[in-house]
Amino acid sequence: MPVIDIHNHFFPSSWPDLAERYGTPNWPWIKHTEPGQADIMVGDRFFRHIYSACWDPEVRLREMDRDGIDVQVISATPVLFGYERPAEHALDCARLFNDAALELCSRGKGRLKALCQVPLQDTDAACKELSRCMRAGHLGVQIGNHVGDKNLDNPGVVTFLQHCADEGAAVLVHPWEMFGRERMPKYMMPWTVGMPAETQLSVVAMILSGAFDRLPSTLRICFAHGGGSFAFLLGRLENAWHRQPVARGESEHPPSYYLNRFYTDSAVFDQRSLQFLVGTMGPDRVILGSDYPFPLGEERVGSLIRQSNLSLEAKAQLLGRNAIRFLGIKDVQEAEDTKSGLVADTSSTPEPEKLTYSSYLKVPELLELQRPQSVPEHHDELLFILVHQTYELWFKELLHDLDAVVANLQKAGAAPQSRDEVYEAARLLRRCTEITRVLVEQFTILETMLPTHFLAFRSLLEPASGFQSEQFREIEFLCGLKDEKMLRYHRPTAEAYASLKRRLEEPSLRDVFFGALQAMGKLPPAAEGATERERFEARARAVHELYKDEHHHRDWIDVCERLTEFDELVVSWRLRHIQLVERIIGIRMGTGGSTGASYLKLTLDKKFFPELWEARTLLTE
Ligand code: HEM
């Protein structure tokens, strides 16, 4: 996979005197100060110091090799946009620099590609120049994040973005002409404070104006500098959207819904910020961007991503794969084969949102979910996390299937003549038993962890404990083993508490099963004032009756057998868990505050369907 930097800049070594050409002052010009060094001047004012990497492909390629970068997608600098000037001047200037960019690329051994610039103050001219550039070999366009006082939701800009989508052009949004300059005269604050706020404003304007709702999802747009302050303040925006109707603007969905409609680059210069950005946007939405070779650019391009704690998979996405999608490169394999010869697919509209194995299964997101606590990371902590996560995934499937069993038995109770639901319940219960069998087996994997290895990071886990497994407790409650006391472990998490409370109040699988037997006339309604013991015995007798009449009740007996097997396997799970606990921590107390193995042994007598077991005692030869 080639490593691609999508946000970096160039300047040609010379260009015509623009002030003279257009007869207006304060155009940028280049002042070479010594070999390989130059200053960009705006009129008489010093703007920025630059060096030969800006114009000399040899220097650039050498530094790309040093940093392990295969391809750079170069763009001009916002100071050349000229959006505030007459459109014909901005267009002419755009043409000069767009052609200069391709000229530089032509000397880049296939490793340099370009984004053009357009006179965005004139939608028609901007669209035409974009089309010309796409035909000439540009991969897309870099635009400023506003045109004077018009944000990106301005109808003219939206029309241009639609045109970009139609042309298959990637759009990189770069902040420029920062607001509030009068309050930020010093310390480069327009760059450190103004730019992030400008970019946030652009993203928010596009979301709340409904621009993303109107534009096609084929539009590939990326916001520079990690999207500015957008990701960090998304929570605030989301809160306002939900609580204040006026804050919704014209957007059809809450802001977080639109995260898959745009990319950000990775130019955030801090590991925690990168983690946060990737956590918010998703690892498929952040692309290597360096701001090279400017003074505020990443000194060793790609090092922030390479040195991060992101998974290998996520790093590969940020370093190359996402860029390939963003740029609409024809084919990943092709790009990989030629490494340098990236080919833009302008022949057809790219489909970045097309379903793939990875996007369907959310593989990148899944692989991002393991966050060891140990520093330096203990080798076995990953296994510890993965095994628990695997259990939780299977618990999810168990709840899904057990809920369906309940629904089928309810239907069977409502229509006792129909047999389909009884067969379906038995089929699903078979799946539950097979899953639980796997869950019993899985403990052996964790037993490859030495007790000393677990102890090396155990203290970091407190007070996290299996007691807090909401889904495990839900399974117990759903099956009929309801213990209100256990709710206390879930009080800190309102959602978990609420779903467990709901499970506590809902009829359990056990209730529904006996409800169906009652509806079939196999279980007489309990007499008023009957004790719990009497009710229990009546239910056991009803099961006993089913077993005695195998000829008529084969289907229901099958359900009983599956329920019994499930019950049996859950006890096996409890037993294997205890063995694991004893093997790894002996008779130590649990992180959840229980007495550990000795507490867990008390749970071995728990049964979901005790009447099914009692019925066996009632049977005679
Ligand atoms: C090193 C491995 C493990 C150890 C040392 C361990 C230890 C314990 C201990 C001591 C308890 C009692 C509660 C407490 O005081 O914290 C407990 C409960 C529990 N553990 Fe584990 N456990 C391990 C692995 C697992 C795994 C892989 C799962 C899979 C989901 C799991 C799920 C549970 C559940 C659901 C409970 C609550 C059981 C109940 O209340 O009946 N544990 N564990």
Side-chain angles (χ1 to χ4, degrees), residues 384 387-388 391 395 443 446 449 454 465-467 472-473 573-574 577 580-581 584-585 590-594 596 599-600 603:
F384 185 78
V387 168
H388 280 82
Y391 272 101
F395 287 166
F443 285 121
L446 204 48
M449 175 174 69
F454 179 55
S465 149
F467 269 159
F472 178 81
R473 209 58 74 198
W573 184 93
R574 294 185 198 276
H577 176 245
L580 164 85
V581 172
I584 303 230
I585 60 165
T591 45
S594 81
Y599 155 77
L600 291 167
T603 67

Side-chain angles (χ1 to χ4, degrees), residues 282-294:
D284 57 339
R285 290 281 145 193
V286 182
I287 311 176
L288 170 61
S290 65
D291 235 337
Y292 167 94
F294 287 166

Side-chain angles (χ1 to χ4, degrees), residues 510 514 517 522-524 526 530-545 610-619:
R510 182 179 168 204
F514 286 109
L517 292 196
K522 296 290 162 200
L523 171 65
T531 63
E532 199 37 53
R533 180 71 210 166
E534 284 161 349
R535 287 166 199 262
F536 173 80
E537 283 170 359
R539 291 194 294 253
R541 276 196 305 277
V543 175
H544 174 233
E545 291 305 313
E611 295 87 348
L612 297 184
W613 297 91
E614 178 70 10
R616 280 149 222 277
T617 315
L618 298 178
L619 286 167

